[in-house]
Amino acid sequence: NEWVNQQAHRILPEWIGILSSKLSLTYNRITIRRQKTVWGSCSGKRNINLNQNLLFLPKRMVHYVLLHELSHLEQMNHSALFWDLLETRFKGSRDMSVRVRIADSLVPEWAKT
């Protein structure tokens, strides 16, 4: 798990950094750890938390999760405004949301412990 965490620290901050620059959005801090129930979250203090096991998901799913969390910097809820905003950044965001919710099966058992 330490290896997965190291790889996630190498890959995810750079990826979300590029996306946030393109969207002209700023966050305070990125935290990466193994989370059991969520792929990511965004706090009211503009801190983004990412699950290290995102590395086991297809690239398009990870891209969606990163854009989802970045969009919370503008809409701190899951209102219709949030989903409309996310849809402009990721076409088919509602469908992908459903797919991401059940994507835990893509993570190998050894990476979940």
Side-chain angles (χ1 to χ4, degrees):
N1 267 344
E2 186 59 35
W3 180 83
V4 175
N5 189 270
Q6 289 171 357
Q7 298 309 306
H9 275 88
R10 187 175 62 78
I11 294 166
L12 297 174
E14 181 179 352
W15 192 349
I16 200 166
I18 291 167
L19 291 174
S20 67
S21 291
K22 285 181 181 175
L23 297 171
S24 299
L25 295 171
T26 57
Y27 51 84
N28 285 325
R29 188 179 37 170
I30 297 287
T31 303
I32 298 169
R33 60 182 175 268
R34 186 176 54 83
Q35 297 165 290
K36 292 186 187 297
T37 58
V38 294
W39 295 112
S41 62
C42 180
S43 76
K45 295 179 179 177
R46 304 180 70 84
N47 295 326
I48 294 176
N49 300 299
L50 298 173
N51 189 326
Q52 68 187 33
N53 287 336
L54 282 167
L55 297 186
F56 295 102
L57 304 188
K59 187 176 181 179
R60 185 164 159 73
M61 268 189 194
V62 179
H63 190 75
Y64 161 81
V65 170
L66 299 181
L67 288 173
H68 182 112
E69 298 314 328
L70 287 171
S71 294
H72 279 309
L73 295 170
E74 293 179 284
Q75 279 292 322
M76 284 300 297
N77 53 48
H78 288 115
S79 65
L81 280 174
F82 169 83
W83 288 107
D84 290 346
L85 173 66
L86 184 54
E87 185 66 24
T88 66
R89 296 174 174 160
F90 189 100
K91 300 294 177 226
S93 59
R94 283 183 174 90
D95 290 338
M96 184 58 80
S97 172
V98 173
R99 291 177 55 201
V100 165
R101 253 183 255 132
I102 58 171
D104 190 56
S105 62
L106 301 173
V107 179
E109 285 304 315
W110 63 264
K112 295 178 184 180
T113 57

mmCIF file with all atom_site columns, all heavy atoms in Angstrom, residues 7 9 12-13 18 22 25-26 32-33 45 47 55-56 58 67-69 73 90 104:
data_model
loop_
_atom_site.group_PDB
_atom_site.id
_atom_site.type_symbol
_atom_site.label_atom_id
_atom_site.label_alt_id
_atom_site.label_comp_id
_atom_site.label_asym_id
_atom_site.label_entity_id
_atom_site.label_seq_id
_atom_site.pdbx_PDB_ins_code
_atom_site.Cartn_x
_atom_site.Cartn_y
_atom_site.Cartn_z
_atom_site.occupancy
_atom_site.B_iso_or_equiv
_atom_site.pdbx_formal_charge
_atom_site.auth_seq_id
_atom_site.auth_comp_id
_atom_site.auth_asym_id
_atom_site.auth_atom_id
_atom_site.pdbx_PDB_model_num
ATOM 1   N N   . GLN A 1 7   ? 3.007   6.279  -5.569  1.00 0.00 ? 7   GLN A N   1
ATOM 2   C CA  . GLN A 1 7   ? 2.653   6.513  -6.974  1.00 0.00 ? 7   GLN A CA  1
ATOM 3   C C   . GLN A 1 7   ? 1.541   7.551  -7.082  1.00 0.00 ? 7   GLN A C   1
ATOM 4   O O   . GLN A 1 7   ? 1.564   8.412  -7.960  1.00 0.00 ? 7   GLN A O   1
ATOM 5   C CB  . GLN A 1 7   ? 2.235   5.196  -7.655  1.00 0.00 ? 7   GLN A CB  1
ATOM 6   C CG  . GLN A 1 7   ? 3.318   4.158  -7.710  1.00 0.00 ? 7   GLN A CG  1
ATOM 7   C CD  . GLN A 1 7   ? 4.614   4.683  -8.267  1.00 0.00 ? 7   GLN A CD  1
ATOM 8   O OE1 . GLN A 1 7   ? 4.667   5.247  -9.357  1.00 0.00 ? 7   GLN A OE1 1
ATOM 9   N NE2 . GLN A 1 7   ? 5.687   4.524  -7.508  1.00 0.00 ? 7   GLN A NE2 1
ATOM 10  N N   . HIS A 1 9   ? 0.947   9.967  -4.994  1.00 0.00 ? 9   HIS A N   1
ATOM 11  C CA  . HIS A 1 9   ? 1.551   11.283 -4.719  1.00 0.00 ? 9   HIS A CA  1
ATOM 12  C C   . HIS A 1 9   ? 2.353   11.798 -5.906  1.00 0.00 ? 9   HIS A C   1
ATOM 13  O O   . HIS A 1 9   ? 2.500   13.008 -6.090  1.00 0.00 ? 9   HIS A O   1
ATOM 14  C CB  . HIS A 1 9   ? 2.436   11.218 -3.471  1.00 0.00 ? 9   HIS A CB  1
ATOM 15  C CG  . HIS A 1 9   ? 1.679   11.403 -2.207  1.00 0.00 ? 9   HIS A CG  1
ATOM 16  N ND1 . HIS A 1 9   ? 1.095   10.353 -1.529  1.00 0.00 ? 9   HIS A ND1 1
ATOM 17  C CD2 . HIS A 1 9   ? 1.360   12.522 -1.507  1.00 0.00 ? 9   HIS A CD2 1
ATOM 18  C CE1 . HIS A 1 9   ? 0.480   10.821 -0.453  1.00 0.00 ? 9   HIS A CE1 1
ATOM 19  N NE2 . HIS A 1 9   ? 0.612   12.128 -0.417  1.00 0.00 ? 9   HIS A NE2 1
ATOM 20  N N   . LEU A 1 12  ? -1.191  12.126 -9.027  1.00 0.00 ? 12  LEU A N   1
ATOM 21  C CA  . LEU A 1 12  ? -2.446  12.888 -8.859  1.00 0.00 ? 12  LEU A CA  1
ATOM 22  C C   . LEU A 1 12  ? -2.270  14.384 -8.641  1.00 0.00 ? 12  LEU A C   1
ATOM 23  O O   . LEU A 1 12  ? -3.015  15.172 -9.249  1.00 0.00 ? 12  LEU A O   1
ATOM 24  C CB  . LEU A 1 12  ? -3.293  12.258 -7.752  1.00 0.00 ? 12  LEU A CB  1
ATOM 25  C CG  . LEU A 1 12  ? -3.773  10.826 -8.030  1.00 0.00 ? 12  LEU A CG  1
ATOM 26  C CD1 . LEU A 1 12  ? -4.487  10.253 -6.810  1.00 0.00 ? 12  LEU A CD1 1
ATOM 27  C CD2 . LEU A 1 12  ? -4.665  10.781 -9.261  1.00 0.00 ? 12  LEU A CD2 1
ATOM 28  N N   . PRO A 1 13  ? -1.321  14.839 -7.812  1.00 0.00 ? 13  PRO A N   1
ATOM 29  C CA  . PRO A 1 13  ? -1.193  16.300 -7.635  1.00 0.00 ? 13  PRO A CA  1
ATOM 30  C C   . PRO A 1 13  ? -0.850  17.034 -8.940  1.00 0.00 ? 13  PRO A C   1
ATOM 31  O O   . PRO A 1 13  ? -1.389  18.117 -9.206  1.00 0.00 ? 13  PRO A O   1
ATOM 32  C CB  . PRO A 1 13  ? -0.059  16.442 -6.618  1.00 0.00 ? 13  PRO A CB  1
ATOM 33  C CG  . PRO A 1 13  ? -0.086  15.161 -5.857  1.00 0.00 ? 13  PRO A CG  1
ATOM 34  C CD  . PRO A 1 13  ? -0.452  14.113 -6.881  1.00 0.00 ? 13  PRO A CD  1
ATOM 35  N N   . ILE A 1 18  ? -2.728  20.585 -13.251 1.00 0.00 ? 18  ILE A N   1
ATOM 36  C CA  . ILE A 1 18  ? -2.910  20.968 -14.662 1.00 0.00 ? 18  ILE A CA  1
ATOM 37  C C   . ILE A 1 18  ? -4.365  21.349 -14.921 1.00 0.00 ? 18  ILE A C   1
ATOM 38  O O   . ILE A 1 18  ? -4.654  22.381 -15.542 1.00 0.00 ? 18  ILE A O   1
ATOM 39  C CB  . ILE A 1 18  ? -2.452  19.823 -15.593 1.00 0.00 ? 18  ILE A CB  1
ATOM 40  C CG1 . ILE A 1 18  ? -0.935  19.663 -15.518 1.00 0.00 ? 18  ILE A CG1 1
ATOM 41  C CG2 . ILE A 1 18  ? -2.916  20.065 -17.031 1.00 0.00 ? 18  ILE A CG2 1
ATOM 42  C CD1 . ILE A 1 18  ? -0.402  18.383 -16.149 1.00 0.00 ? 18  ILE A CD1 1
ATOM 43  N N   . LYS A 1 22  ? -5.991  25.071 -15.973 1.00 0.00 ? 22  LYS A N   1
ATOM 44  C CA  . LYS A 1 22  ? -6.820  25.264 -17.173 1.00 0.00 ? 22  LYS A CA  1
ATOM 45  C C   . LYS A 1 22  ? -8.154  25.915 -16.830 1.00 0.00 ? 22  LYS A C   1
ATOM 46  O O   . LYS A 1 22  ? -8.694  26.679 -17.617 1.00 0.00 ? 22  LYS A O   1
ATOM 47  C CB  . LYS A 1 22  ? -7.075  23.920 -17.863 1.00 0.00 ? 22  LYS A CB  1
ATOM 48  C CG  . LYS A 1 22  ? -5.896  23.379 -18.616 1.00 0.00 ? 22  LYS A CG  1
ATOM 49  C CD  . LYS A 1 22  ? -6.237  22.063 -19.301 1.00 0.00 ? 22  LYS A CD  1
ATOM 50  C CE  . LYS A 1 22  ? -5.033  21.514 -20.037 1.00 0.00 ? 22  LYS A CE  1
ATOM 51  N NZ  . LYS A 1 22  ? -5.297  20.185 -20.612 1.00 0.00 ? 22  LYS A NZ  1
ATOM 52  N N   . LEU A 1 25  ? -8.859  27.729 -11.365 1.00 0.00 ? 25  LEU A N   1
ATOM 53  C CA  . LEU A 1 25  ? -9.375  27.473 -10.024 1.00 0.00 ? 25  LEU A CA  1
ATOM 54  C C   . LEU A 1 25  ? -8.202  27.212 -9.087  1.00 0.00 ? 25  LEU A C   1
ATOM 55  O O   . LEU A 1 25  ? -7.236  26.575 -9.469  1.00 0.00 ? 25  LEU A O   1
ATOM 56  C CB  . LEU A 1 25  ? -10.292 26.245 -10.023 1.00 0.00 ? 25  LEU A CB  1
ATOM 57  C CG  . LEU A 1 25  ? -11.583 26.380 -10.825 1.00 0.00 ? 25  LEU A CG  1
ATOM 58  C CD1 . LEU A 1 25  ? -12.291 25.041 -10.917 1.00 0.00 ? 25  LEU A CD1 1
ATOM 59  C CD2 . LEU A 1 25  ? -12.496 27.415 -10.182 1.00 0.00 ? 25  LEU A CD2 1
ATOM 60  N N   . THR A 1 26  ? -8.299  27.724 -7.882  1.00 0.00 ? 26  THR A N   1
ATOM 61  C CA  . THR A 1 26  ? -7.224  27.507 -6.918  1.00 0.00 ? 26  THR A CA  1
ATOM 62  C C   . THR A 1 26  ? -7.754  26.776 -5.692  1.00 0.00 ? 26  THR A C   1
ATOM 63  O O   . THR A 1 26  ? -8.878  27.005 -5.257  1.00 0.00 ? 26  THR A O   1
ATOM 64  C CB  . THR A 1 26  ? -6.582  28.837 -6.471  1.00 0.00 ? 26  THR A CB  1
ATOM 65  O OG1 . THR A 1 26  ? -7.600  29.670 -5.922  1.00 0.00 ? 26  THR A OG1 1
ATOM 66  C CG2 . THR A 1 26  ? -5.922  29.550 -7.635  1.00 0.00 ? 26  THR A CG2 1
ATOM 67  N N   . ILE A 1 32  ? -3.644  13.031 -0.094  1.00 0.00 ? 32  ILE A N   1
ATOM 68  C CA  . ILE A 1 32  ? -3.881  11.731 -0.723  1.00 0.00 ? 32  ILE A CA  1
ATOM 69  C C   . ILE A 1 32  ? -3.703  10.651 0.334   1.00 0.00 ? 32  ILE A C   1
ATOM 70  O O   . ILE A 1 32  ? -2.676  10.592 1.009   1.00 0.00 ? 32  ILE A O   1
ATOM 71  C CB  . ILE A 1 32  ? -2.904  11.504 -1.892  1.00 0.00 ? 32  ILE A CB  1
ATOM 72  C CG1 . ILE A 1 32  ? -3.124  12.565 -2.966  1.00 0.00 ? 32  ILE A CG1 1
ATOM 73  C CG2 . ILE A 1 32  ? -3.080  10.093 -2.466  1.00 0.00 ? 32  ILE A CG2 1
ATOM 74  C CD1 . ILE A 1 32  ? -2.061  12.609 -4.023  1.00 0.00 ? 32  ILE A CD1 1
ATOM 75  N N   . ARG A 1 33  ? -4.726  9.817  0.450   1.00 0.00 ? 33  ARG A N   1
ATOM 76  C CA  . ARG A 1 33  ? -4.633  8.687  1.379   1.00 0.00 ? 33  ARG A CA  1
ATOM 77  C C   . ARG A 1 33  ? -5.611  7.611  0.926   1.00 0.00 ? 33  ARG A C   1
ATOM 78  O O   . ARG A 1 33  ? -6.435  7.841  0.047   1.00 0.00 ? 33  ARG A O   1
ATOM 79  C CB  . ARG A 1 33  ? -4.887  9.124  2.807   1.00 0.00 ? 33  ARG A CB  1
ATOM 80  C CG  . ARG A 1 33  ? -6.240  9.744  3.068   1.00 0.00 ? 33  ARG A CG  1
ATOM 81  C CD  . ARG A 1 33  ? -6.353  10.179 4.531   1.00 0.00 ? 33  ARG A CD  1
ATOM 82  N NE  . ARG A 1 33  ? -7.586  10.881 4.765   1.00 0.00 ? 33  ARG A NE  1
ATOM 83  C CZ  . ARG A 1 33  ? -7.740  12.194 4.687   1.00 0.00 ? 33  ARG A CZ  1
ATOM 84  N NH1 . ARG A 1 33  ? -6.744  12.963 4.350   1.00 0.00 ? 33  ARG A NH1 1
ATOM 85  N NH2 . ARG A 1 33  ? -8.899  12.755 4.933   1.00 0.00 ? 33  ARG A NH2 1
ATOM 86  N N   . LYS A 1 45  ? -12.693 24.785 3.241   1.00 0.00 ? 45  LYS A N   1
ATOM 87  C CA  . LYS A 1 45  ? -11.416 25.503 3.293   1.00 0.00 ? 45  LYS A CA  1
ATOM 88  C C   . LYS A 1 45  ? -10.622 25.361 1.991   1.00 0.00 ? 45  LYS A C   1
ATOM 89  O O   . LYS A 1 45  ? -9.453  25.739 1.936   1.00 0.00 ? 45  LYS A O   1
ATOM 90  C CB  . LYS A 1 45  ? -10.575 24.994 4.462   1.00 0.00 ? 45  LYS A CB  1
ATOM 91  C CG  . LYS A 1 45  ? -11.192 25.278 5.812   1.00 0.00 ? 45  LYS A CG  1
ATOM 92  C CD  . LYS A 1 45  ? -10.321 24.740 6.926   1.00 0.00 ? 45  LYS A CD  1
ATOM 93  C CE  . LYS A 1 45  ? -10.933 25.063 8.268   1.00 0.00 ? 45  LYS A CE  1
ATOM 94  N NZ  . LYS A 1 45  ? -10.155 24.487 9.381   1.00 0.00 ? 45  LYS A NZ  1
ATOM 95  N N   . ASN A 1 47  ? -9.650  22.608 0.519   1.00 0.00 ? 47  ASN A N   1
ATOM 96  C CA  . ASN A 1 47  ? -8.696  21.505 0.534   1.00 0.00 ? 47  ASN A CA  1
ATOM 97  C C   . ASN A 1 47  ? -9.332  20.318 -0.178  1.00 0.00 ? 47  ASN A C   1
ATOM 98  O O   . ASN A 1 47  ? -10.506 20.002 0.058   1.00 0.00 ? 47  ASN A O   1
ATOM 99  C CB  . ASN A 1 47  ? -8.350  21.105 1.969   1.00 0.00 ? 47  ASN A CB  1
ATOM 100 C CG  . ASN A 1 47  ? -7.614  22.207 2.697   1.00 0.00 ? 47  ASN A CG  1
ATOM 101 O OD1 . ASN A 1 47  ? -6.831  22.946 2.108   1.00 0.00 ? 47  ASN A OD1 1
ATOM 102 N ND2 . ASN A 1 47  ? -7.877  22.344 3.981   1.00 0.00 ? 47  ASN A ND2 1
ATOM 103 N N   . LEU A 1 55  ? -5.824  5.294  -8.705  1.00 0.00 ? 55  LEU A N   1
ATOM 104 C CA  . LEU A 1 55  ? -4.864  4.781  -9.687  1.00 0.00 ? 55  LEU A CA  1
ATOM 105 C C   . LEU A 1 55  ? -5.332  3.493  -10.357 1.00 0.00 ? 55  LEU A C   1
ATOM 106 O O   . LEU A 1 55  ? -4.839  3.154  -11.430 1.00 0.00 ? 55  LEU A O   1
ATOM 107 C CB  . LEU A 1 55  ? -3.499  4.539  -9.041  1.00 0.00 ? 55  LEU A CB  1
ATOM 108 C CG  . LEU A 1 55  ? -2.782  5.758  -8.480  1.00 0.00 ? 55  LEU A CG  1
ATOM 109 C CD1 . LEU A 1 55  ? -1.390  5.364  -8.002  1.00 0.00 ? 55  LEU A CD1 1
ATOM 110 C CD2 . LEU A 1 55  ? -2.687  6.874  -9.505  1.00 0.00 ? 55  LEU A CD2 1
ATOM 111 N N   . PHE A 1 56  ? -6.270  2.791  -9.753  1.00 0.00 ? 56  PHE A N   1
ATOM 112 C CA  . PHE A 1 56  ? -6.754  1.539  -10.327 1.00 0.00 ? 56  PHE A CA  1
ATOM 113 C C   . PHE A 1 56  ? -7.947  1.735  -11.257 1.00 0.00 ? 56  PHE A C   1
ATOM 114 O O   . PHE A 1 56  ? -8.395  0.778  -11.885 1.00 0.00 ? 56  PHE A O   1
ATOM 115 C CB  . PHE A 1 56  ? -7.132  0.557  -9.207  1.00 0.00 ? 56  PHE A CB  1
ATOM 116 C CG  . PHE A 1 56  ? -5.953  0.137  -8.382  1.00 0.00 ? 56  PHE A CG  1
ATOM 117 C CD1 . PHE A 1 56  ? -5.737  0.692  -7.133  1.00 0.00 ? 56  PHE A CD1 1
ATOM 118 C CD2 . PHE A 1 56  ? -5.038  -0.790 -8.867  1.00 0.00 ? 56  PHE A CD2 1
ATOM 119 C CE1 . PHE A 1 56  ? -4.640  0.315  -6.368  1.00 0.00 ? 56  PHE A CE1 1
ATOM 120 C CE2 . PHE A 1 56  ? -3.938  -1.171 -8.115  1.00 0.00 ? 56  PHE A CE2 1
ATOM 121 C CZ  . PHE A 1 56  ? -3.733  -0.612 -6.866  1.00 0.00 ? 56  PHE A CZ  1
ATOM 122 N N   . PRO A 1 58  ? -10.027 3.463  -14.587 1.00 0.00 ? 58  PRO A N   1
ATOM 123 C CA  . PRO A 1 58  ? -9.709  3.952  -15.925 1.00 0.00 ? 58  PRO A CA  1
ATOM 124 C C   . PRO A 1 58  ? -9.455  5.467  -15.912 1.00 0.00 ? 58  PRO A C   1
ATOM 125 O O   . PRO A 1 58  ? -10.057 6.196  -15.109 1.00 0.00 ? 58  PRO A O   1
ATOM 126 C CB  . PRO A 1 58  ? -10.964 3.631  -16.739 1.00 0.00 ? 58  PRO A CB  1
ATOM 127 C CG  . PRO A 1 58  ? -11.639 2.528  -15.981 1.00 0.00 ? 58  PRO A CG  1
ATOM 128 C CD  . PRO A 1 58  ? -11.317 2.772  -14.534 1.00 0.00 ? 58  PRO A CD  1
ATOM 129 N N   . LEU A 1 67  ? -12.257 16.506 -11.865 1.00 0.00 ? 67  LEU A N   1
ATOM 130 C CA  . LEU A 1 67  ? -13.101 17.640 -12.264 1.00 0.00 ? 67  LEU A CA  1
ATOM 131 C C   . LEU A 1 67  ? -14.272 17.820 -11.297 1.00 0.00 ? 67  LEU A C   1
ATOM 132 O O   . LEU A 1 67  ? -14.677 18.948 -11.011 1.00 0.00 ? 67  LEU A O   1
ATOM 133 C CB  . LEU A 1 67  ? -13.617 17.447 -13.689 1.00 0.00 ? 67  LEU A CB  1
ATOM 134 C CG  . LEU A 1 67  ? -12.574 17.623 -14.787 1.00 0.00 ? 67  LEU A CG  1
ATOM 135 C CD1 . LEU A 1 67  ? -13.168 17.243 -16.144 1.00 0.00 ? 67  LEU A CD1 1
ATOM 136 C CD2 . LEU A 1 67  ? -12.030 19.044 -14.807 1.00 0.00 ? 67  LEU A CD2 1
ATOM 137 N N   . HIS A 1 68  ? -14.808 16.727 -10.789 1.00 0.00 ? 68  HIS A N   1
ATOM 138 C CA  . HIS A 1 68  ? -15.901 16.785 -9.810  1.00 0.00 ? 68  HIS A CA  1
ATOM 139 C C   . HIS A 1 68  ? -15.448 17.570 -8.572  1.00 0.00 ? 68  HIS A C   1
ATOM 140 O O   . HIS A 1 68  ? -16.129 18.510 -8.140  1.00 0.00 ? 68  HIS A O   1
ATOM 141 C CB  . HIS A 1 68  ? -16.312 15.354 -9.431  1.00 0.00 ? 68  HIS A CB  1
ATOM 142 C CG  . HIS A 1 68  ? -17.453 15.276 -8.482  1.00 0.00 ? 68  HIS A CG  1
ATOM 143 N ND1 . HIS A 1 68  ? -18.689 14.792 -8.838  1.00 0.00 ? 68  HIS A ND1 1
ATOM 144 C CD2 . HIS A 1 68  ? -17.555 15.604 -7.171  1.00 0.00 ? 68  HIS A CD2 1
ATOM 145 C CE1 . HIS A 1 68  ? -19.499 14.843 -7.788  1.00 0.00 ? 68  HIS A CE1 1
ATOM 146 N NE2 . HIS A 1 68  ? -18.828 15.331 -6.767  1.00 0.00 ? 68  HIS A NE2 1
ATOM 147 N N   . GLU A 1 69  ? -14.292 17.196 -8.054  1.00 0.00 ? 69  GLU A N   1
ATOM 148 C CA  . GLU A 1 69  ? -13.804 17.881 -6.840  1.00 0.00 ? 69  GLU A CA  1
ATOM 149 C C   . GLU A 1 69  ? -13.440 19.335 -7.132  1.00 0.00 ? 69  GLU A C   1
ATOM 150 O O   . GLU A 1 69  ? -13.726 20.215 -6.331  1.00 0.00 ? 69  GLU A O   1
ATOM 151 C CB  . GLU A 1 69  ? -12.638 17.118 -6.220  1.00 0.00 ? 69  GLU A CB  1
ATOM 152 C CG  . GLU A 1 69  ? -12.986 15.709 -5.767  1.00 0.00 ? 69  GLU A CG  1
ATOM 153 C CD  . GLU A 1 69  ? -14.275 15.597 -4.976  1.00 0.00 ? 69  GLU A CD  1
ATOM 154 O OE1 . GLU A 1 69  ? -14.650 16.541 -4.250  1.00 0.00 ? 69  GLU A OE1 1
ATOM 155 O OE2 . GLU A 1 69  ? -14.931 14.536 -5.077  1.00 0.00 ? 69  GLU A OE2 1
ATOM 156 N N   . LEU A 1 73  ? -15.122 23.675 -5.836  1.00 0.00 ? 73  LEU A N   1
ATOM 157 C CA  . LEU A 1 73  ? -14.519 24.953 -5.450  1.00 0.00 ? 73  LEU A CA  1
ATOM 158 C C   . LEU A 1 73  ? -15.441 26.108 -5.825  1.00 0.00 ? 73  LEU A C   1
ATOM 159 O O   . LEU A 1 73  ? -15.372 27.182 -5.237  1.00 0.00 ? 73  LEU A O   1
ATOM 160 C CB  . LEU A 1 73  ? -13.149 25.133 -6.122  1.00 0.00 ? 73  LEU A CB  1
ATOM 161 C CG  . LEU A 1 73  ? -12.071 24.133 -5.695  1.00 0.00 ? 73  LEU A CG  1
ATOM 162 C CD1 . LEU A 1 73  ? -10.859 24.256 -6.600  1.00 0.00 ? 73  LEU A CD1 1
ATOM 163 C CD2 . LEU A 1 73  ? -11.690 24.338 -4.230  1.00 0.00 ? 73  LEU A CD2 1
ATOM 164 N N   . PHE A 1 90  ? -17.344 18.026 -18.197 1.00 0.00 ? 90  PHE A N   1
ATOM 165 C CA  . PHE A 1 90  ? -17.253 16.596 -18.435 1.00 0.00 ? 90  PHE A CA  1
ATOM 166 C C   . PHE A 1 90  ? -18.606 16.118 -18.949 1.00 0.00 ? 90  PHE A C   1
ATOM 167 O O   . PHE A 1 90  ? -19.550 15.961 -18.179 1.00 0.00 ? 90  PHE A O   1
ATOM 168 C CB  . PHE A 1 90  ? -16.885 15.863 -17.136 1.00 0.00 ? 90  PHE A CB  1
ATOM 169 C CG  . PHE A 1 90  ? -16.550 14.413 -17.336 1.00 0.00 ? 90  PHE A CG  1
ATOM 170 C CD1 . PHE A 1 90  ? -15.226 14.005 -17.384 1.00 0.00 ? 90  PHE A CD1 1
ATOM 171 C CD2 . PHE A 1 90  ? -17.546 13.467 -17.483 1.00 0.00 ? 90  PHE A CD2 1
ATOM 172 C CE1 . PHE A 1 90  ? -14.909 12.667 -17.583 1.00 0.00 ? 90  PHE A CE1 1
ATOM 173 C CE2 . PHE A 1 90  ? -17.242 12.131 -17.680 1.00 0.00 ? 90  PHE A CE2 1
ATOM 174 C CZ  . PHE A 1 90  ? -15.919 11.735 -17.733 1.00 0.00 ? 90  PHE A CZ  1
ATOM 175 N N   . ASP A 1 104 ? -15.507 0.527  -7.033  1.00 0.00 ? 104 ASP A N   1
ATOM 176 C CA  . ASP A 1 104 ? -14.671 -0.101 -6.015  1.00 0.00 ? 104 ASP A CA  1
ATOM 177 C C   . ASP A 1 104 ? -14.233 -1.512 -6.416  1.00 0.00 ? 104 ASP A C   1
ATOM 178 O O   . ASP A 1 104 ? -13.179 -1.989 -6.028  1.00 0.00 ? 104 ASP A O   1
ATOM 179 C CB  . ASP A 1 104 ? -15.399 -0.115 -4.673  1.00 0.00 ? 104 ASP A CB  1
ATOM 180 C CG  . ASP A 1 104 ? -14.495 -0.541 -3.541  1.00 0.00 ? 104 ASP A CG  1
ATOM 181 O OD1 . ASP A 1 104 ? -13.443 0.104  -3.351  1.00 0.00 ? 104 ASP A OD1 1
ATOM 182 O OD2 . ASP A 1 104 ? -14.819 -1.531 -2.860  1.00 0.00 ? 104 ASP A OD2 1
#
